Amino acid sequence: NNLSLISPFIVEGEFNLQIPKIKEKYSLQNFHYLTDINNNLIIIGKGGYGKLYLSKNVVDNKKYAIKNISKKKMKEVGVDTSIIKREIDVHIRITHPHIIKLFSYLEDRYNFYLAMEYAPNGNLYKLIQQKNGMEENEAFHYFIQVVSAIHFLHINGYAHRDIKPENILFDANYNPKIYGFYFSCMIAANLQVLSGTLNYMAPEILAHHHYDGIKADIFSLGQLLFNLVTRLFGFNSATEADPLYKKIIEKNYDEYWGNPHFANINLSQ
């Protein structure tokens, strides 16, 4: 089935920036949705606002992912469509071996459509669960590649603001690829918007302080590395009387020092 699109994507207001020109090869009419043996569209991912479909480009005959984002679903949960425009504005400018490539985009009255690089081997979250935590050498192998991508974002003036295992996908060769640019923004030292995923959010964000996007990303990377090696979150086991956000703001790691994973840690270092 061909994608049927009725109007061009328009970037408004603060997002009215110079978007790189899209190659004709990646025009959305050149992507066909793929179907299974029952003629159902192949869904390769789901999110709060839409689905990710497997497609093939008729020009190069390669597989791609098409992200369909429903404006209706966004409206139902009170999310402004400007976050998708910001995602596109940041994502389409960035080319790096460890960042999922966004090739093209369009908008109609119902949806946004994003044509992206296809990553067939799942995400880092699933790998961590399968392995029950990694040896340090293996964790370093994945972590250093993720860090290289985030560093590339930073030196080009952007913060990701939602670093987590679910946003790190694997290509055909199990190379990690950063994904999920909903909360990405130009770097600033006085950001205020509450953004990210709770277990990976820096204390200053949850405390509603002004924060630095780069430093917030670095905190998330630390939480990611902890999760890679231990399969645990840096802050966990929260109760109603001691909620997770409070543990993070107060930097309460105490529960872990009796855990066998940390028996050899020197707390004075």
Side-chain angles (χ1 to χ4, degrees):
N1 297 321
N2 289 330
L3 287 173
S4 177
L5 303 165
I6 65 173
S7 64
F9 182 89
I10 300 173
V11 179
E12 300 173 342
E14 64 182 293
F15 308 108
N16 189 16
L17 303 172
Q18 188 63 43
I19 302 294
K21 185 177 180 181
I22 294 171
K23 294 180 180 179
E24 181 62 29
K25 167 183 172 180
Y26 297 121
S27 179
L28 267 289
Q29 64 263 25
N30 288 328
F31 291 92
H32 290 193
Y33 287 125
L34 296 181
T35 57
D36 60 21
I37 57 174
N38 296 315
N39 207 33
N40 295 315
L41 297 179
I42 299 175
I43 298 172
I44 55 178
K46 295 182 180 181
Y49 317 128
K51 297 176 181 178
L52 201 62
Y53 295 95
L54 186 61
S55 72
K56 181 174 285 188
N57 186 290
V58 297
V59 178
D60 63 16
N61 208 36
K62 293 181 180 179
K63 292 179 179 178
Y64 294 81
I66 300 291
K67 186 176 183 180
N68 287 19
I69 303 167
S70 168
K71 293 181 179 180
K72 180 180 178 181
K73 289 184 178 179
M74 294 185 73
K75 185 176 180 180
E76 287 172 352
V77 295
V79 176
D80 194 277
T81 57
S82 65
I83 70 165
I84 305 302
K85 297 180 181 184
R86 180 167 55 242
E87 174 184 9
I88 293 168
D89 180 55
V90 174
H91 197 171
I92 204 161
R93 299 168 188 274
I94 301 297
T95 299
H96 186 273
H98 296 296
I99 294 176
I100 287 288
K101 180 64 180 172
L102 174 62
F103 294 100
S104 62
Y105 52 86
L106 275 175
E107 175 189 8
D108 66 19
R109 68 184 64 160
Y110 304 109
N111 300 296
F112 292 98
Y113 305 88
L114 281 64
M116 300 184 296
E117 177 183 359
Y118 174 46
N121 285 315
N123 61 43
L124 187 56
Y125 174 80
K126 292 180 180 178
L127 185 64
I128 292 170
Q129 300 308 304
Q130 291 170 5
K131 290 179 172 290
N132 198 25
M134 300 180 186
E135 294 296 323
E136 288 186 11
N137 286 342
E138 185 179 15
F140 177 79
H141 169 75
Y142 294 118
F143 184 70
I144 196 65
Q145 295 175 81
V146 172
V147 169
S148 73
I150 298 300
H151 176 64
F152 183 79
L153 281 175
H154 290 172
I155 63 176
N156 280 281
Y158 298 103
H160 187 277
R161 298 200 299 176
D162 196 20
I163 300 167
K164 58 182 178 180
E166 293 89 338
N167 278 342
I168 300 166
L169 309 181
F170 289 111
D171 68 11
N173 297 313
Y174 276 92
N175 297 307
K177 302 266 187 171
I178 300 290
Y179 174 69
F181 286 81
Y182 280 134
F183 296 116
S184 297
C185 67
M186 296 290 289
I187 287 173
N190 61 343
L191 298 171
Q192 290 182 283
V193 175
L194 193 70
S195 60
T197 300
L198 186 55
N199 278 296
Y200 299 89
M201 290 169 70
E204 58 269 29
I205 299 177
L206 290 169
H208 300 285
H209 295 160
H210 288 86
Y211 65 92
D212 184 306
I214 289 180
K215 292 178 180 179
D217 277 354
I218 292 171
F219 180 90
S220 299
L221 286 170
Q223 296 295 89
L224 174 67
L225 181 58
F226 187 94
N227 191 220
L228 276 169
V229 176
T230 68
R231 197 189 172 192
L232 302 171
F233 295 117
F235 305 92
N236 215 338
S237 303
T239 64
E240 187 174 348
D242 191 13
L244 183 57
Y245 77 88
K246 181 180 176 183
K247 282 180 173 286
I248 297 172
I249 292 172
E250 295 177 352
K251 308 177 189 67
N252 181 5
Y253 291 94
D254 290 349
E255 65 193 87
Y256 286 119
W257 303 128
N259 189 300
H261 280 291
F262 310 102
N264 297 318
I265 290 180
N266 182 347
L267 298 182
S268 66
Q269 293 183 346

